[in-house]
Amino acid sequence: MSVQKPPFFHLFMATGFGSGFSPVAPGTAGALLAVLLWVAGYFLLPFGVLQTVLAAAIVYFTVQGIYSSAVMEKYWGEDPSRVVIDEMVGVWIPLLVVPAGDWWYVVAAFVLFRFFDIVKPLGVRRMERFRGGVGIMMDDILAGVYSAILLGIVRLSIE
């Protein structure tokens, strides 16, 4: 009996372009890679274009993440730690409310997202009850939404 290899595309996508193979804190590695991709985009694109691309990426990678993470569960079991596409999407959500040129907001987006993702308050843990790829993605999406709301409140109160 041979062990079947997972399809490379789903492996690559679900592991956040391989960042999920980090031997230390794969979820943090995936979220950090997502932030670094946003930072690269910040220097390559006009800010409005970057945020439009980011919104499109959130939609695409949410749908792709649901599918690819469900495929990878068949090979690695339920909610495997190497699947980090959910952390990437989750941290991109608060980056939508980051103002241009304010790097403290970028740091805050990362820290807040990781806090909500790890602690899982206010119904975030409940999202894991969904089966398959939806459950993998939804807790991080909600953690990202909570992070975005907090950043938005801070931004409105300062500006």
Side-chain angles (χ1 to χ4, degrees):
M1 178 183 214
S2 67
V3 176
Q4 217 177 18
K5 288 184 181 178
F8 176 76
F9 178 76
H10 295 297
L11 175 94
F12 185 69
M13 294 300 284
T15 61
F17 314 129
S19 62
F21 287 109
S22 171
V24 178
T28 300
L32 183 59
L33 175 62
V35 170
L36 293 174
L37 290 170
W38 183 90
V39 169
Y42 181 84
F43 290 108
L44 295 172
L45 301 170
F47 191 72
V49 173
L50 170 64
Q51 295 302 75
T52 301
V53 168
L54 179 62
I58 289 168
V59 172
Y60 172 78
F61 283 92
T62 295
V63 173
Q64 187 61 55
I66 289 169
Y67 184 58
S68 289
S69 58
V71 168
M72 295 311 298
E73 275 192 322
K74 295 174 186 172
Y75 295 91
W76 291 341
E78 192 174 312
D79 200 1
S81 63
R82 291 176 281 197
V83 171
V84 298
I85 192 169
D86 51 332
E87 275 85 3
M88 294 179 77
V89 170
V91 79
W92 281 335
I93 293 169
L95 289 173
L96 284 171
V97 300
V98 168
D102 196 327
W103 297 103
W104 287 111
Y105 278 93
V106 176
V107 172
F110 178 79
V111 170
L112 281 171
F113 168 72
R114 288 307 292 153
F115 169 78
F116 282 114
D117 185 31
I118 293 167
V119 176
K120 299 191 185 306
L122 305 169
V124 172
R125 184 166 311 282
R126 217 170 291 166
M127 294 293 107
E128 293 176 332
R129 292 181 186 165
F130 290 103
R131 307 305 289 156
V134 173
I136 290 173
M137 296 297 295
M138 288 312 295
D139 66 312
D140 295 278
I141 288 170
L142 187 55
V145 168
Y146 286 153
S147 303
I149 290 169
L150 277 179
L151 279 180
I153 290 169
V154 168
R155 191 171 167 192
L156 286 173
S157 67
I158 292 173
E159 295 175 359

